[in-house]
PDB file of all heavy atoms in Angstrom:
ATOM      1  N   ASP A   1     -11.142 -11.065  15.463  1.00 95.00           N
ATOM      2  CA  ASP A   1     -11.051 -11.993  16.587  1.00 95.00           C
ATOM      3  C   ASP A   1     -10.741 -13.398  16.093  1.00 95.00           C
ATOM      4  O   ASP A   1     -11.396 -13.904  15.176  1.00 95.00           O
ATOM      5  CB  ASP A   1     -12.397 -12.078  17.331  1.00 95.00           C
ATOM      6  CG  ASP A   1     -12.759 -10.816  18.081  1.00 95.00           C
ATOM      7  OD1 ASP A   1     -11.890 -10.267  18.763  1.00 95.00           O
ATOM      8  OD2 ASP A   1     -13.926 -10.396  17.983  1.00 95.00           O
ATOM      9  N   ASN A   2      -9.768 -14.036  16.722  1.00 94.00           N
ATOM     10  CA  ASN A   2      -9.514 -15.463  16.502  1.00 94.00           C
ATOM     11  C   ASN A   2      -9.521 -15.827  15.019  1.00 94.00           C
ATOM     12  O   ASN A   2     -10.187 -16.772  14.596  1.00 94.00           O
ATOM     13  CB  ASN A   2     -10.564 -16.295  17.252  1.00 94.00           C
ATOM     14  CG  ASN A   2     -10.658 -15.911  18.711  1.00 94.00           C
ATOM     15  OD1 ASN A   2     -11.380 -14.983  19.051  1.00 94.00           O
ATOM     16  ND2 ASN A   2      -9.922 -16.584  19.560  1.00 94.00           N
ATOM     17  N   THR A   3      -8.792 -15.090  14.232  1.00 96.00           N
ATOM     18  CA  THR A   3      -8.839 -15.191  12.773  1.00 96.00           C
ATOM     19  C   THR A   3      -7.467 -15.539  12.218  1.00 96.00           C
ATOM     20  O   THR A   3      -6.458 -15.066  12.731  1.00 96.00           O
ATOM     21  CB  THR A   3      -9.302 -13.842  12.181  1.00 96.00           C
ATOM     22  OG1 THR A   3     -10.588 -13.522  12.715  1.00 96.00           O
ATOM     23  CG2 THR A   3      -9.370 -13.877  10.670  1.00 96.00           C
ATOM     24  N   TYR A   4      -7.445 -16.328  11.155  1.00 95.00           N
ATOM     25  CA  TYR A   4      -6.189 -16.561  10.459  1.00 95.00           C
ATOM     26  C   TYR A   4      -6.395 -16.467   8.950  1.00 95.00           C
ATOM     27  O   TYR A   4      -7.479 -16.685   8.446  1.00 95.00           O
ATOM     28  CB  TYR A   4      -5.565 -17.914  10.840  1.00 95.00           C
ATOM     29  CG  TYR A   4      -6.337 -19.136  10.426  1.00 95.00           C
ATOM     30  CD1 TYR A   4      -6.073 -19.771   9.214  1.00 95.00           C
ATOM     31  CD2 TYR A   4      -7.319 -19.677  11.250  1.00 95.00           C
ATOM     32  CE1 TYR A   4      -6.776 -20.908   8.831  1.00 95.00           C
ATOM     33  CE2 TYR A   4      -8.017 -20.800  10.877  1.00 95.00           C
ATOM     34  CZ  TYR A   4      -7.741 -21.419   9.669  1.00 95.00           C
ATOM     35  OH  TYR A   4      -8.443 -22.535   9.295  1.00 95.00           O
ATOM     36  N   ASP A   5      -5.333 -16.091   8.272  1.00 96.00           N
ATOM     37  CA  ASP A   5      -5.306 -15.938   6.820  1.00 96.00           C
ATOM     38  C   ASP A   5      -6.385 -14.971   6.325  1.00 96.00           C
ATOM     39  O   ASP A   5      -7.346 -15.362   5.671  1.00 96.00           O
ATOM     40  CB  ASP A   5      -5.450 -17.299   6.134  1.00 96.00           C
ATOM     41  CG  ASP A   5      -5.088 -17.227   4.652  1.00 96.00           C
ATOM     42  OD1 ASP A   5      -4.474 -16.222   4.236  1.00 96.00           O
ATOM     43  OD2 ASP A   5      -5.429 -18.154   3.914  1.00 96.00           O
ATOM     44  N   ALA A   6      -6.193 -13.702   6.639  1.00 97.00           N
ATOM     45  CA  ALA A   6      -7.102 -12.649   6.170  1.00 97.00           C
ATOM     46  C   ALA A   6      -6.279 -11.565   5.487  1.00 97.00           C
ATOM     47  O   ALA A   6      -5.185 -11.225   5.942  1.00 97.00           O
ATOM     48  CB  ALA A   6      -7.894 -12.060   7.327  1.00 97.00           C
ATOM     49  N   ARG A   7      -6.814 -11.043   4.401  1.00 98.00           N
ATOM     50  CA  ARG A   7      -6.112 -10.004   3.639  1.00 98.00           C
ATOM     51  C   ARG A   7      -7.056  -8.834   3.383  1.00 98.00           C
ATOM     52  O   ARG A   7      -8.178  -9.020   2.910  1.00 98.00           O
ATOM     53  CB  ARG A   7      -5.605 -10.561   2.319  1.00 98.00           C
ATOM     54  CG  ARG A   7      -4.814  -9.559   1.499  1.00 98.00           C
ATOM     55  CD  ARG A   7      -4.297 -10.190   0.207  1.00 98.00           C
ATOM     56  NE  ARG A   7      -3.408  -9.288  -0.483  1.00 98.00           N
ATOM     57  CZ  ARG A   7      -2.103  -9.221  -0.304  1.00 98.00           C
ATOM     58  NH1 ARG A   7      -1.526 -10.028   0.558  1.00 98.00           N
ATOM     59  NH2 ARG A   7      -1.365  -8.364  -0.975  1.00 98.00           N
ATOM     60  N   PHE A   8      -6.576  -7.634   3.704  1.00 98.00           N
ATOM     61  CA  PHE A   8      -7.288  -6.395   3.433  1.00 98.00           C
ATOM     62  C   PHE A   8      -6.443  -5.611   2.442  1.00 98.00           C
ATOM     63  O   PHE A   8      -5.292  -5.287   2.731  1.00 98.00           O
ATOM     64  CB  PHE A   8      -7.487  -5.591   4.717  1.00 98.00           C
ATOM     65  CG  PHE A   8      -8.340  -6.298   5.745  1.00 98.00           C
ATOM     66  CD1 PHE A   8      -7.776  -7.231   6.610  1.00 98.00           C
ATOM     67  CD2 PHE A   8      -9.689  -6.030   5.840  1.00 98.00           C
ATOM     68  CE1 PHE A   8      -8.553  -7.886   7.551  1.00 98.00           C
ATOM     69  CE2 PHE A   8     -10.476  -6.687   6.776  1.00 98.00           C
ATOM     70  CZ  PHE A   8      -9.905  -7.612   7.631  1.00 98.00           C
ATOM     71  N   GLN A   9      -6.992  -5.325   1.276  1.00 98.00           N
ATOM     72  CA  GLN A   9      -6.237  -4.611   0.254  1.00 98.00           C
ATOM     73  C   GLN A   9      -7.008  -3.385  -0.207  1.00 98.00           C
ATOM     74  O   GLN A   9      -8.198  -3.475  -0.541  1.00 98.00           O
ATOM     75  CB  GLN A   9      -5.962  -5.525  -0.941  1.00 98.00           C
ATOM     76  CG  GLN A   9      -5.066  -4.875  -1.970  1.00 98.00           C
ATOM     77  CD  GLN A   9      -4.530  -5.882  -2.976  1.00 98.00           C
ATOM     78  OE1 GLN A   9      -4.763  -7.081  -2.875  1.00 98.00           O
ATOM     79  NE2 GLN A   9      -3.792  -5.394  -3.942  1.00 98.00           N
ATOM     80  N   ASN A  10      -6.316  -2.230  -0.215  1.00 98.00           N
ATOM     81  CA  ASN A  10      -6.937  -0.966  -0.603  1.00 98.00           C
ATOM     82  C   ASN A  10      -8.215  -0.724   0.211  1.00 98.00           C
ATOM     83  O   ASN A  10      -9.273  -0.443  -0.325  1.00 98.00           O
ATOM     84  CB  ASN A  10      -7.229  -0.938  -2.106  1.00 98.00           C
ATOM     85  CG  ASN A  10      -7.730   0.410  -2.575  1.00 98.00           C
ATOM     86  OD1 ASN A  10      -7.452   1.437  -1.968  1.00 98.00           O
ATOM     87  ND2 ASN A  10      -8.514   0.411  -3.641  1.00 98.00           N
ATOM     88  N   VAL A  11      -8.091  -0.891   1.525  1.00 98.00           N
ATOM     89  CA  VAL A  11      -9.214  -0.688   2.442  1.00 98.00           C
ATOM     90  C   VAL A  11      -8.893   0.500   3.330  1.00 98.00           C
ATOM     91  O   VAL A  11      -7.763   0.647   3.799  1.00 98.00           O
ATOM     92  CB  VAL A  11      -9.480  -1.947   3.301  1.00 98.00           C
ATOM     93  CG1 VAL A  11     -10.529  -1.680   4.372  1.00 98.00           C
ATOM     94  CG2 VAL A  11      -9.906  -3.120   2.416  1.00 98.00           C
ATOM     95  N   LYS A  12      -9.879   1.340   3.554  1.00 98.00           N
ATOM     96  CA  LYS A  12      -9.719   2.474   4.459  1.00 98.00           C
ATOM     97  C   LYS A  12     -10.562   2.205   5.702  1.00 98.00           C
ATOM     98  O   LYS A  12     -11.728   1.825   5.605  1.00 98.00           O
ATOM     99  CB  LYS A  12     -10.161   3.778   3.794  1.00 98.00           C
ATOM    100  CG  LYS A  12      -9.913   5.004   4.653  1.00 98.00           C
ATOM    101  CD  LYS A  12     -10.403   6.274   3.964  1.00 98.00           C
ATOM    102  CE  LYS A  12      -9.311   6.887   3.163  1.00 98.00           C
ATOM    103  NZ  LYS A  12      -9.690   8.225   2.648  1.00 98.00           N
ATOM    104  N   PHE A  13      -9.948   2.391   6.866  1.00 97.00           N
ATOM    105  CA  PHE A  13     -10.622   2.251   8.148  1.00 97.00           C
ATOM    106  C   PHE A  13     -10.734   3.651   8.735  1.00 97.00           C
ATOM    107  O   PHE A  13      -9.730   4.226   9.156  1.00 97.00           O
ATOM    108  CB  PHE A  13      -9.835   1.328   9.073  1.00 97.00           C
ATOM    109  CG  PHE A  13      -9.595  -0.051   8.515  1.00 97.00           C
ATOM    110  CD1 PHE A  13      -8.430  -0.332   7.818  1.00 97.00           C
ATOM    111  CD2 PHE A  13     -10.536  -1.051   8.668  1.00 97.00           C
ATOM    112  CE1 PHE A  13      -8.200  -1.598   7.295  1.00 97.00           C
ATOM    113  CE2 PHE A  13     -10.317  -2.316   8.150  1.00 97.00           C
ATOM    114  CZ  PHE A  13      -9.148  -2.594   7.462  1.00 97.00           C
ATOM    115  N   SER A  14     -11.931   4.210   8.741  1.00 96.00           N
ATOM    116  CA  SER A  14     -12.136   5.604   9.138  1.00 96.00           C
ATOM    117  C   SER A  14     -12.982   5.689  10.404  1.00 96.00           C
ATOM    118  O   SER A  14     -14.114   5.210  10.432  1.00 96.00           O
ATOM    119  CB  SER A  14     -12.842   6.376   8.021  1.00 96.00           C
ATOM    120  OG  SER A  14     -12.120   6.297   6.821  1.00 96.00           O
ATOM    121  N   GLY A  15     -12.441   6.313  11.424  1.00 91.00           N
ATOM    122  CA  GLY A  15     -13.187   6.502  12.658  1.00 91.00           C
ATOM    123  C   GLY A  15     -13.625   7.944  12.805  1.00 91.00           C
ATOM    124  O   GLY A  15     -13.403   8.789  11.936  1.00 91.00           O
ATOM    125  N   MET A  16     -14.264   8.218  13.934  1.00 83.00           N
ATOM    126  CA  MET A  16     -14.727   9.575  14.217  1.00 83.00           C
ATOM    127  C   MET A  16     -14.333   9.909  15.649  1.00 83.00           C
ATOM    128  O   MET A  16     -15.079   9.690  16.581  1.00 83.00           O
ATOM    129  CB  MET A  16     -16.247   9.654  14.049  1.00 83.00           C
ATOM    130  CG  MET A  16     -16.809  11.056  13.902  1.00 83.00           C
ATOM    131  SD  MET A  16     -16.769  12.109  15.356  1.00 83.00           S
ATOM    132  CE  MET A  16     -17.904  11.309  16.449  1.00 83.00           C
ATOM    133  N   HIS A  17     -13.102  10.354  15.802  1.00 71.00           N
ATOM    134  CA  HIS A  17     -12.622  10.699  17.130  1.00 71.00           C
ATOM    135  C   HIS A  17     -13.048  12.123  17.453  1.00 71.00           C
ATOM    136  O   HIS A  17     -12.752  13.051  16.704  1.00 71.00           O
ATOM    137  CB  HIS A  17     -11.102  10.574  17.198  1.00 71.00           C
ATOM    138  CG  HIS A  17     -10.591  10.531  18.596  1.00 71.00           C
ATOM    139  ND1 HIS A  17     -10.636  11.611  19.432  1.00 71.00           N
ATOM    140  CD2 HIS A  17     -10.046   9.536  19.307  1.00 71.00           C
ATOM    141  CE1 HIS A  17     -10.131  11.287  20.593  1.00 71.00           C
ATOM    142  NE2 HIS A  17      -9.761  10.027  20.550  1.00 71.00           N
ATOM    143  N   ALA A  18     -13.732  12.280  18.587  1.00 60.00           N
ATOM    144  CA  ALA A  18     -14.263  13.582  18.962  1.00 60.00           C
ATOM    145  C   ALA A  18     -13.191  14.514  19.525  1.00 60.00           C
ATOM    146  O   ALA A  18     -13.371  15.724  19.543  1.00 60.00           O
ATOM    147  CB  ALA A  18     -15.379  13.407  19.988  1.00 60.00           C
ATOM    148  N   ASP A  19     -12.079  13.962  20.001  1.00 57.00           N
ATOM    149  CA  ASP A  19     -11.040  14.778  20.632  1.00 57.00           C
ATOM    150  C   ASP A  19      -9.722  14.621  19.890  1.00 57.00           C
ATOM    151  O   ASP A  19      -9.492  13.647  19.186  1.00 57.00           O
ATOM    152  CB  ASP A  19     -10.846  14.351  22.092  1.00 57.00           C
ATOM    153  CG  ASP A  19     -12.117  14.516  22.906  1.00 57.00           C
ATOM    154  OD1 ASP A  19     -12.712  15.594  22.838  1.00 57.00           O
ATOM    155  OD2 ASP A  19     -12.504  13.554  23.590  1.00 57.00           O
ATOM    156  N   ASP A  20      -8.830  15.575  20.081  1.00 57.00           N
ATOM    157  CA  ASP A  20      -7.492  15.500  19.519  1.00 57.00           C
ATOM    158  C   ASP A  20      -6.697  14.460  20.319  1.00 57.00           C
ATOM    159  O   ASP A  20      -6.477  14.643  21.510  1.00 57.00           O
ATOM    160  CB  ASP A  20      -6.811  16.872  19.615  1.00 57.00           C
ATOM    161  CG  ASP A  20      -5.407  16.872  19.040  1.00 57.00           C
ATOM    162  OD1 ASP A  20      -4.891  15.780  18.694  1.00 57.00           O
ATOM    163  OD2 ASP A  20      -4.830  17.957  18.934  1.00 57.00           O
ATOM    164  N   PRO A  21      -6.250  13.360  19.695  1.00 53.00           N
ATOM    165  CA  PRO A  21      -5.546  12.326  20.452  1.00 53.00           C
ATOM    166  C   PRO A  21      -4.216  12.790  21.030  1.00 53.00           C
ATOM    167  O   PRO A  21      -3.673  12.150  21.919  1.00 53.00           O
ATOM    168  CB  PRO A  21      -5.344  11.206  19.428  1.00 53.00           C
ATOM    169  CG  PRO A  21      -5.495  11.841  18.104  1.00 53.00           C
ATOM    170  CD  PRO A  21      -6.405  13.015  18.289  1.00 53.00           C
ATOM    171  N   LEU A  22      -3.684  13.919  20.564  1.00 56.00           N
ATOM    172  CA  LEU A  22      -2.432  14.418  21.114  1.00 56.00           C
ATOM    173  C   LEU A  22      -2.636  15.153  22.431  1.00 56.00           C
ATOM    174  O   LEU A  22      -1.709  15.292  23.218  1.00 56.00           O
ATOM    175  CB  LEU A  22      -1.744  15.346  20.106  1.00 56.00           C
ATOM    176  CG  LEU A  22      -1.346  14.695  18.777  1.00 56.00           C
ATOM    177  CD1 LEU A  22      -0.755  15.741  17.844  1.00 56.00           C
ATOM    178  CD2 LEU A  22      -0.367  13.566  19.008  1.00 56.00           C
ATOM    179  N   THR A  23      -3.854  15.620  22.689  1.00 56.00           N
ATOM    180  CA  THR A  23      -4.102  16.361  23.923  1.00 56.00           C
ATOM    181  C   THR A  23      -5.100  15.671  24.845  1.00 56.00           C
ATOM    182  O   THR A  23      -5.163  15.974  26.022  1.00 56.00           O
ATOM    183  CB  THR A  23      -4.647  17.766  23.598  1.00 56.00           C
ATOM    184  OG1 THR A  23      -5.865  17.641  22.851  1.00 56.00           O
ATOM    185  CG2 THR A  23      -3.642  18.569  22.790  1.00 56.00           C
ATOM    186  N   THR A  24      -5.890  14.737  24.326  1.00 55.00           N
ATOM    187  CA  THR A  24      -6.905  14.058  25.116  1.00 55.00           C
ATOM    188  C   THR A  24      -6.784  12.559  24.894  1.00 55.00           C
ATOM    189  O   THR A  24      -6.702  12.105  23.759  1.00 55.00           O
ATOM    190  CB  THR A  24      -8.312  14.516  24.694  1.00 55.00           C
ATOM    191  OG1 THR A  24      -8.355  15.944  24.770  1.00 55.00           O
ATOM    192  CG2 THR A  24      -9.379  13.935  25.598  1.00 55.00           C
ATOM    193  N   VAL A  25      -6.799  11.799  25.977  1.00 53.00           N
ATOM    194  CA  VAL A  25      -6.660  10.354  25.851  1.00 53.00           C
ATOM    195  C   VAL A  25      -7.851   9.756  25.119  1.00 53.00           C
ATOM    196  O   VAL A  25      -7.709   8.862  24.305  1.00 53.00           O
ATOM    197  CB  VAL A  25      -6.499   9.696  27.241  1.00 53.00           C
ATOM    198  CG1 VAL A  25      -6.508   8.186  27.124  1.00 53.00           C
ATOM    199  CG2 VAL A  25      -5.206  10.162  27.873  1.00 53.00           C
ATOM    200  N   GLY A  26      -9.049  10.237  25.372  1.00 52.00           N
ATOM    201  CA  GLY A  26     -10.228   9.695  24.696  1.00 52.00           C
ATOM    202  C   GLY A  26     -10.615   8.335  25.243  1.00 52.00           C
ATOM    203  O   GLY A  26     -10.220   7.942  26.327  1.00 52.00           O
ATOM    204  N   ASN A  27     -11.391   7.588  24.471  1.00 57.00           N
ATOM    205  CA  ASN A  27     -11.890   6.309  24.976  1.00 57.00           C
ATOM    206  C   ASN A  27     -11.187   5.107  24.351  1.00 57.00           C
ATOM    207  O   ASN A  27     -11.697   3.999  24.371  1.00 57.00           O
ATOM    208  CB  ASN A  27     -13.402   6.206  24.757  1.00 57.00           C
ATOM    209  CG  ASN A  27     -13.761   6.161  23.283  1.00 57.00           C
ATOM    210  OD1 ASN A  27     -12.905   6.187  22.422  1.00 57.00           O
ATOM    211  ND2 ASN A  27     -15.053   6.096  23.007  1.00 57.00           N
ATOM    212  N   SER A  28     -10.034   5.298  23.753  1.00 73.00           N
ATOM    213  CA  SER A  28      -9.208   4.221  23.217  1.00 73.00           C
ATOM    214  C   SER A  28      -9.879   3.437  22.096  1.00 73.00           C
ATOM    215  O   SER A  28      -9.794   2.225  22.039  1.00 73.00           O
ATOM    216  CB  SER A  28      -8.781   3.263  24.340  1.00 73.00           C
ATOM    217  OG  SER A  28      -8.049   3.950  25.308  1.00 73.00           O
ATOM    218  N   THR A  29     -10.551   4.111  21.208  1.00 84.00           N
ATOM    219  CA  THR A  29     -11.120   3.417  20.054  1.00 84.00           C
ATOM    220  C   THR A  29     -10.016   3.141  19.036  1.00 84.00           C
ATOM    221  O   THR A  29      -8.987   3.804  19.025  1.00 84.00           O
ATOM    222  CB  THR A  29     -12.240   4.236  19.386  1.00 84.00           C
ATOM    223  OG1 THR A  29     -11.705   5.495  18.973  1.00 84.00           O
ATOM    224  CG2 THR A  29     -13.398   4.447  20.340  1.00 84.00           C
ATOM    225  N   ASN A  30     -10.266   2.142  18.187  1.00 89.00           N
ATOM    226  CA  ASN A  30      -9.253   1.699  17.249  1.00 89.00           C
ATOM    227  C   ASN A  30      -9.821   1.608  15.842  1.00 89.00           C
ATOM    228  O   ASN A  30     -10.984   1.277  15.661  1.00 89.00           O
ATOM    229  CB  ASN A  30      -8.754   0.302  17.631  1.00 89.00           C
ATOM    230  CG  ASN A  30      -8.436   0.181  19.096  1.00 89.00           C
ATOM    231  OD1 ASN A  30      -7.526   0.814  19.580  1.00 89.00           O
ATOM    232  ND2 ASN A  30      -9.201  -0.627  19.808  1.00 89.00           N
ATOM    233  N   CYS A  31      -8.964   1.853  14.862  1.00 94.00           N
ATOM    234  CA  CYS A  31      -9.365   1.543  13.495  1.00 94.00           C
ATOM    235  C   CYS A  31      -9.501   0.037  13.354  1.00 94.00           C
ATOM    236  O   CYS A  31     -10.501  -0.466  12.853  1.00 94.00           O
ATOM    237  CB  CYS A  31      -8.331   2.061  12.502  1.00 94.00           C
ATOM    238  SG  CYS A  31      -8.436   3.829  12.191  1.00 94.00           S
ATOM    239  N   VAL A  32      -8.492  -0.696  13.815  1.00 96.00           N
ATOM    240  CA  VAL A  32      -8.532  -2.158  13.797  1.00 96.00           C
ATOM    241  C   VAL A  32      -8.064  -2.665  15.147  1.00 96.00           C
ATOM    242  O   VAL A  32      -6.992  -2.312  15.631  1.00 96.00           O
ATOM    243  CB  VAL A  32      -7.634  -2.743  12.685  1.00 96.00           C
ATOM    244  CG1 VAL A  32      -7.642  -4.267  12.745  1.00 96.00           C
ATOM    245  CG2 VAL A  32      -8.080  -2.265  11.316  1.00 96.00           C
ATOM    246  N   LYS A  33      -8.880  -3.516  15.765  1.00 94.00           N
ATOM    247  CA  LYS A  33      -8.537  -4.158  17.034  1.00 94.00           C
ATOM    248  C   LYS A  33      -8.430  -5.653  16.776  1.00 94.00           C
ATOM    249  O   LYS A  33      -9.335  -6.255  16.207  1.00 94.00           O
ATOM    250  CB  LYS A  33      -9.612  -3.874  18.083  1.00 94.00           C
ATOM    251  CG  LYS A  33      -9.351  -4.537  19.415  1.00 94.00           C
ATOM    252  CD  LYS A  33     -10.448  -4.222  20.418  1.00 94.00           C
ATOM    253  CE  LYS A  33     -10.181  -4.922  21.731  1.00 94.00           C
ATOM    254  NZ  LYS A  33     -11.245  -4.653  22.711  1.00 94.00           N
ATOM    255  N   MET A  34      -7.309  -6.254  17.184  1.00 94.00           N
ATOM    256  CA  MET A  34      -7.090  -7.680  16.967  1.00 94.00           C
ATOM    257  C   MET A  34      -6.968  -8.393  18.304  1.00 94.00           C
ATOM    258  O   MET A  34      -6.254  -7.932  19.192  1.00 94.00           O
ATOM    259  CB  MET A  34      -5.833  -7.896  16.136  1.00 94.00           C
ATOM    260  CG  MET A  34      -5.904  -7.238  14.776  1.00 94.00           C
ATOM    261  SD  MET A  34      -4.364  -7.326  13.849  1.00 94.00           S
ATOM    262  CE  MET A  34      -4.368  -9.039  13.414  1.00 94.00           C
ATOM    263  N   THR A  35      -7.682  -9.518  18.435  1.00 92.00           N
ATOM    264  CA  THR A  35      -7.600 -10.331  19.645  1.00 92.00           C
ATOM    265  C   THR A  35      -7.362 -11.780  19.265  1.00 92.00           C
ATOM    266  O   THR A  35      -7.597 -12.196  18.130  1.00 92.00           O
ATOM    267  CB  THR A  35      -8.889 -10.228  20.492  1.00 92.00           C
ATOM    268  OG1 THR A  35      -9.977 -10.784  19.748  1.00 92.00           O
ATOM    269  CG2 THR A  35      -9.198  -8.796  20.862  1.00 92.00           C
ATOM    270  N   SER A  36      -6.915 -12.552  20.256  1.00 90.00           N
ATOM    271  CA  SER A  36      -6.576 -13.946  20.021  1.00 90.00           C
ATOM    272  C   SER A  36      -6.755 -14.719  21.316  1.00 90.00           C
ATOM    273  O   SER A  36      -6.667 -14.156  22.403  1.00 90.00           O
ATOM    274  CB  SER A  36      -5.121 -14.038  19.558  1.00 90.00           C
ATOM    275  OG  SER A  36      -4.776 -15.329  19.155  1.00 90.00           O
ATOM    276  N   THR A  37      -7.022 -16.024  21.192  1.00 86.00           N
ATOM    277  CA  THR A  37      -7.073 -16.906  22.350  1.00 86.00           C
ATOM    278  C   THR A  37      -6.186 -18.116  22.065  1.00 86.00           C
ATOM    279  O   THR A  37      -5.915 -18.421  20.893  1.00 86.00           O
ATOM    280  CB  THR A  37      -8.510 -17.391  22.641  1.00 86.00           C
ATOM    281  OG1 THR A  37      -8.984 -18.151  21.518  1.00 86.00           O
ATOM    282  CG2 THR A  37      -9.445 -16.237  22.933  1.00 86.00           C
ATOM    283  N   PRO A  38      -5.729 -18.833  23.095  1.00 83.00           N
ATOM    284  CA  PRO A  38      -4.895 -20.013  22.845  1.00 83.00           C
ATOM    285  C   PRO A  38      -5.603 -21.066  21.979  1.00 83.00           C
ATOM    286  O   PRO A  38      -4.972 -21.727  21.164  1.00 83.00           O
ATOM    287  CB  PRO A  38      -4.624 -20.553  24.246  1.00 83.00           C
ATOM    288  CG  PRO A  38      -4.741 -19.361  25.136  1.00 83.00           C
ATOM    289  CD  PRO A  38      -5.825 -18.523  24.522  1.00 83.00           C
TER     290      PRO A  38
END
């Protein structure tokens, strides 16, 4: 959120999705979610 100049190197973002995303929409969880404000 509202971040600048950040670096992630050799990082794994692992979630636990209960459903197959190809057949079920699920709850829209993300490995990485980015937001910004003016």
Side-chain angles (χ1 to χ4, degrees):
D1 291 315
N2 307 86
T3 301
Y4 66 93
D5 194 15
R7 182 178 187 90
F8 297 84
Q9 186 166 356
N10 186 25
V11 173
K12 185 182 269 189
F13 302 93
S14 303
M16 198 290 293
H17 196 291
D19 300 311
D20 180 352
L22 298 177
T23 59
T24 306
V25 174
N27 66 1
S28 300
T29 59
N30 313 294
C31 282
V32 177
K33 178 180 179 181
M34 300 174 73
T35 65
S36 187
T37 62

